[in-house]
Structures are given as C-alpha cells and as structure tokens.
Amino acid sequence: MQSSLFGHAPVQTPERFSLQNAHMLKVQLGNGLPDHCLARVGSMVAYQGAIDFDGNMRSGAEQQAAAATGEQLNLMRAHGTGTMWLANMAQSIHVLDLDFEGLTVDGQYVLALDSTLSWNVVAIESAQSVAGAGSYNLDISGNGKIALMTSGKPLIMRVTHGAEVFADADAVIAWSTRLSISMQAQTNSARIYRRRRGTGEGWNMAFMGEGYVVVQPSEMLPPAEFISAGGYLANRGLGQDGGVRGNTWGQ
C-alpha cells in the first residue's frame, strides 16, 4: 500500500509533551518519565502501551468554585507506560514550560498539564462588572508543562512598563499572572453595556506590567461549546445523545 498518509507516522522525540502536528499532542508516560498526567476529558484520540484512564476527583473547594463561577478544569487522569495522542476539535495546540511562573488562562483552552502544577479560580478585578467577558479564570502555577489550545494561530504580545496592551476580551485566552488587568469600554455612549456604536466591538482588556498576553484569531466559542449549548450539530445526531440513538437526520 502506498499513500501520502504514511508521511504522518508517529513523530520520534524524547520529549514528554511534543506536537505530532499542529492539531495533535503526543504525550509519553513512564520509561524514565513521569507515569501520569492530566488531560481534558474525552481528548484522547489514540494510544499505545499500558495506559489507564480515570476520572480526576475534584476537591470540595474546586467543586464549590466551579458551581459559583462556572470556571473549572474538566480533566481525566492518564497513568501507565506508553504513548498517547490528544486533540480537541482540530484546534491548534501549543506547549508551554512553566518554571514556577504563573499563567492565568480560560479553562476551556487547556488540553493537558503535568499533575505537578496547581490551579485555583480567580476573579478578574475591574472597576466594572462585565458578565461573559472572562470574569473568572484559572491561575496555574508551579513547575511543569501545559498544553493550550487556540482556534487558529495565536498572537503573542509582550507587555512592558509604559507599553500597555489592549485586546478584545472575547479573544484573549491567557496571560502572565503578574500582569495588572482592567476592563475598557472606549465609548461615548452612556449605555456602555452595549456593543460600541456600529463597530461590533465590545469590552477590551487592558494589560499593564511585565509579561505576555495570548490572543487567538477568533471571538467565537469553540465547537465543543457550541455543541453543548444545543447548536445545530446537536440536532444531527452529534449532541449529548450522539451515535445511532441520537441520529435525527431522517426525521
């Protein structure tokens, strides 16, 4: 058998987290490397070796925070010896090394992380209360690797003292925890809760200090959120009751 498909065989690398391609993450467990990691629920697309997958039990505090804010990490625990490949809706994947640094991120963009990292829910402090504009996020810190997802190739902006960065609150997915944040609604209208007059632009986030901001080229929810919200895919057999039983194409 001959095909260009065979050019996509598993990549060979000693790295624990590495990219199989722009949309798939390769994670190696055991054989001298840590034998477990945490991954987004349902993100495993293939594996080799002796790997078990279990639910990751959340603490009482994590459950309370999720109920109060809606922000959470829905994770499973993979452990054993072997190699697994992770993906989510063909989103672009990026691996970061955290060396006792802090990263604030929207939990829906986390694909996998080392279990050595810790996280907690934080509120975005602002003079205004802006529902749906990233009011709560996750602070992730410690020493280890984390894989983030973006809808397309992101823009990484450097923030320095005297050179603030402004970005659409719906496009920002992560930033250095040490940055100071404020919400901006540059408009002359007294009704600032509405989209700015005829521009289609809403709330901006202003970042000050020293660090980085990750902005994705999309202001829309990822496909998984659309499906769970009852979008058109859910009405074509691909929703919560997916498969043959949930198929309504012929109805």
Side-chain angles (χ1 to χ4, degrees), residues 47-88:
Y47 75 92
Q48 287 182 307
I51 301 177
D52 291 319
F53 299 90
D54 296 318
N56 183 55
M57 299 299 293
R58 291 183 295 171
S59 67
E62 290 174 338
Q63 295 180 36
Q64 291 176 3
T69 67
E71 189 70 22
Q72 59 185 315
L73 280 178
N74 290 318
L75 300 172
M76 62 181 178
R77 185 175 296 273
H79 55 94
T81 300
T83 304
M84 66 178 178
W85 288 264
L86 308 174
N88 183 64

Side-chain angles (χ1 to χ4, degrees), residues 133-218:
S135 301
Y136 295 94
N137 283 270
L138 297 168
D139 266 359
I140 300 177
S141 60
N143 185 25
K145 293 181 180 290
I146 178 173
L148 301 181
M149 304 174 294
T150 61
S151 296
K153 295 181 179 179
L155 170 68
I156 308 300
M157 301 192 70
R158 175 73 185 274
V159 183
T160 61
H161 292 289
E164 298 86 356
V165 166
F166 301 87
D168 191 305
D170 294 327
V172 173
I173 70 164
W175 61 88
S176 301
T177 299
R178 61 179 177 269
L179 292 175
S180 297
I181 313 298
S182 67
M183 303 299 292
Q184 304 284 337
Q186 299 169 354
T187 177
N188 294 324
S189 171
R191 303 175 70 180
I192 60 174
Y193 62 86
R194 302 183 65 178
R195 288 274 175 178
R196 291 189 221 145
R197 300 177 175 179
T199 67
E201 298 296 335
W203 288 91
N204 279 346
M205 296 180 74
F207 300 89
M208 294 155 283
E210 290 282 344
Y212 296 90
V213 179
V214 182
V215 182
Q216 69 174 356
S218 172

Side-chain angles (χ1 to χ4, degrees), residues 21-44:
N21 55 54
H23 310 290
M24 191 176 296
L25 178 70
K26 177 183 178 182
V27 181
Q28 300 191 87
L29 302 175
N31 291 325
L33 297 170
D35 63 357
H36 60 283
C37 82
L38 299 172
R40 181 187 179 95
V41 169
S43 62
M44 185 275 292

Side-chain angles (χ1 to χ4, degrees), residues 56-130:
N56 183 55
M57 299 299 293
R58 291 183 295 171
S59 67
E62 290 174 338
Q63 295 180 36
Q64 291 176 3
T69 67
E71 189 70 22
Q72 59 185 315
L73 280 178
N74 290 318
L75 300 172
M76 62 181 178
R77 185 175 296 273
H79 55 94
T81 300
T83 304
M84 66 178 178
W85 288 264
L86 308 174
N88 183 64
M89 297 295 176
Q91 288 186 285
S92 298
I93 300 172
H94 317 275
V95 179
L96 289 76
D97 284 290
L98 295 185
D99 186 13
F100 297 103
E101 302 166 279
L103 180 71
T104 302
V105 61
D106 187 327
Q108 66 181 327
Y109 297 106
V110 175
L111 178 63
L113 71 160
D114 278 325
S115 56
T116 54
L117 297 175
S118 59
W119 63 88
N120 63 287
V121 178
V122 294
I124 304 304
E125 300 295 338
S126 174
Q128 296 86 14
S129 175
V130 188

